[in-house]
Amino acid sequence: MNQLPKVSVIIPVYNVEKYLIECLKSIVNQSYKNLEIILVDDGSPDNSGKICDEYATCDTRIKVIHKENGGVSCARNVGLDLASGEYICFVDPDDWLEYNALELCFTYLLITKADLCFFDYDLVYRGDNSCRTSVPGNQTYFQDLDNLQALYNYMYWTGICNFIFKASLVKDLRFNEKLWIGEDTIFKFQLYKNLSNFSCVRKVLYHYRKHSRSCTGGLYSDLPSIIYKRYHILEKIIQDGGYPDNAELVINSIELIRQLPFVIEVAFNGKMSFKCDYDLIKNYINTDEFRSASLNYNKMMVGKSANYYLLFGKPNRLVITIVYMLKKLKEGVLSKEKF
């Protein structure tokens, strides 16, 4: 019997000693055994690097690289440069996989002969509370990728860690190291251009830990400028060709409109308070790009919060405050306990 293909699992590691062992256990104990586990210690100031080395002495599949801190994109790129597997997946060091995640994915990959396989994931909040993320519907195989629905499903479904893909798709494709938020959006958008088809496992196989120390759990006052920078990069990628007609509709929806709730979160500084930097929101929405996006987006693509914020055509101060407070109350229910 031919040996199953090798999978390179790339894990960027930085300052996560509290969670790293749980993550590594979930990888080394996968029911799918033909793995190459690449741990890139990105200059961790805690014991994360030491934990990586200890695991490497017990498992020959593990490779550890210690480097100066350069950010998660740089660490993932180092992993991509070293990967020798026929397939690649990314795992964040404070998250974990179900023990049979990769085996189930390969079952789907072999059946469908797809280039890439997604799986559902859940956001794990404080305590045992979680929220599942998946695309509505029951489709498990996408072959006609030259249409907006396939592009939307792909862009909506993915983080960077809930799929496995053929290494041949990557070639010289790398993460943008100048961006430290949303770099995965650009990477996966470029990857789409190389796809012939993709499949999906509609089971929660990845657990994404949502906490204040995670990159996306932080609050950044320059978030609006980063979103627009990403938006213009994506626009340029579309202009270069290879995407469905009117792909801008997806980008308008998921990149500018769907990001509005995160901008509002920053404006409130993440606190349940009536005090808000409305000028930050005003500057975000008072651009030609946002005006165009607000006239040309799909309500089904952006989520309930963004649609509520745009209830009267553009964000209204009273609506913003009410919706934000309701969101924070809901999050409070999910976050009663501490990690």
Side-chain angles (χ1 to χ4, degrees):
M1 181 177 177
N2 294 330
Q3 187 179 39
L4 289 170
K6 180 166 67 175
V7 181
S8 294
V9 182
I10 299 172
I11 307 176
V13 177
Y14 181 76
N15 205 25
V16 284
E17 62 179 357
K18 184 176 180 181
Y19 310 110
L20 184 56
I21 291 176
E22 182 178 16
C23 173
L24 294 179
K25 283 182 177 179
S26 79
I27 305 301
V28 300
N29 293 324
Q30 282 291 302
S31 57
Y32 191 94
K33 299 300 182 184
N34 193 13
L35 305 178
E36 172 187 57
I37 304 168
I38 302 174
L39 307 179
V40 184
D41 172 26
D42 193 34
S44 298
D46 64 357
N47 290 317
S48 295
K50 183 179 178 181
I51 294 171
C52 291
D53 289 335
E54 289 173 350
Y55 265 77
T57 62
C58 301
D59 194 322
T60 58
R61 300 174 298 172
I62 296 177
K63 299 178 181 178
V64 181
I65 298 90
H66 299 282
K67 60 181 287 295
E68 292 185 0
N69 181 253
V72 66
S73 292
C74 180
R76 285 176 179 151
N77 286 341
V78 169
L80 285 171
D81 291 340
L82 294 171
S84 63
E86 296 173 59
Y87 289 82
I88 293 173
C89 70
F90 298 100
V91 176
D92 283 344
D94 44 359
D95 303 336
W96 70 99
L97 287 169
E98 288 293 312
Y99 82 97
N100 61 344
L102 299 181
E103 182 180 5
L104 282 175
C105 285
F106 263 97
T107 300
Y108 275 68
L109 285 169
L110 292 172
I111 291 172
T112 62
K113 298 181 180 179
D115 295 332
L116 177 151
C117 183
F118 292 110
F119 37 92
D120 288 357
Y121 66 95
D122 63 359
L123 299 175
V124 181
Y125 294 85
R126 296 172 182 175
D128 296 325
N129 301 295
S130 64
C131 179
R132 179 171 180 167
T133 298
S134 60
V135 171
N138 57 13
Q139 191 171 353
T140 58
Y141 181 62
F142 296 80
Q143 186 173 19
D144 176 18
L145 303 189
D146 191 24
N147 66 82
L148 289 179
Q149 189 61 46
L151 177 60
Y152 163 62
N153 282 339
Y154 170 85
M155 292 299 291
Y156 176 89
W157 215 327
T158 51
I160 200 63
C161 296
N162 68 313
F163 64 93
I164 181 172
F165 58 94
K166 288 182 178 178
S168 59
L169 296 174
V170 179
K171 299 179 181 178
D172 297 327
L173 179 59
R174 294 295 183 269
F175 289 90
N176 187 325
E177 296 182 15
K178 295 181 180 179
L179 293 176
W180 43 273
I181 300 176
E183 71 292 333
D184 53 341
T185 301
I186 295 173
F187 181 89
K188 67 187 182 184
F189 193 74
Q190 291 175 302
L191 193 65
Y192 184 87
K193 187 175 180 178
N194 299 333
L195 292 176
S196 298
N197 49 31
F198 63 87
S199 60
C200 44
V201 180
R202 290 184 172 274
K203 294 183 179 180
V204 173
L205 301 180
Y206 189 94
H207 304 282
Y208 174 77
R209 196 187 304 271
K210 190 76 171 174
H211 57 89
S212 59
R213 292 180 64 187
S214 63
C215 182
T216 53
L219 294 167
Y220 308 100
S221 59
D222 57 345
L223 179 62
S225 65
I226 293 172
I227 292 172
Y228 275 104
K229 185 175 183 178
R230 284 199 320 242
Y231 177 79
H232 290 302
I233 291 173
L234 292 170
E235 265 194 327
K236 178 62 168 59
I237 294 172
I238 291 173
Q239 290 168 6
D240 289 341
Y243 293 90
D245 292 339
N246 297 320
E248 293 88 350
L249 176 65
V250 176
I251 301 307
N252 286 341
S253 300
I254 68 171
E255 187 60 13
L256 287 186
I257 304 300
R258 195 168 162 214
Q259 297 296 332
L260 178 60
F262 299 102
V263 174
I264 292 173
E265 177 87 359
V266 171
F268 276 93
N269 198 27
K271 299 176 181 177
M272 190 169 174
S273 167
F274 287 100
K275 185 178 180 181
C276 174
D277 183 359
Y278 286 103
D279 285 340
L280 186 147
I281 301 171
K282 184 178 179 180
N283 291 335
Y284 181 74
I285 66 174
N286 284 345
T287 66
D288 291 339
E289 295 92 337
F290 191 91
R291 292 188 191 98
S292 176
S294 65
L295 297 173
N296 183 34
Y297 80 99
N298 188 317
K299 291 184 178 181
M300 299 300 294
M301 294 182 181
V302 301
K304 292 181 180 179
S305 295
N307 284 319
Y308 286 144
Y309 286 134
L310 292 172
L311 195 60
F312 299 109
K314 68 177 184 178
N316 174 285
R317 288 183 65 153
L318 179 60
V319 172
I320 287 173
T321 303
I322 293 173
V323 174
Y324 180 80
M325 295 300 172
L326 290 173
K327 277 188 63 183
K328 297 306 287 186
L329 283 170
K330 182 179 179 181
E331 290 175 6
V333 172
L334 290 172
S335 307
K336 288 181 178 179
E337 301 176 26
K338 295 182 177 180
F339 280 121

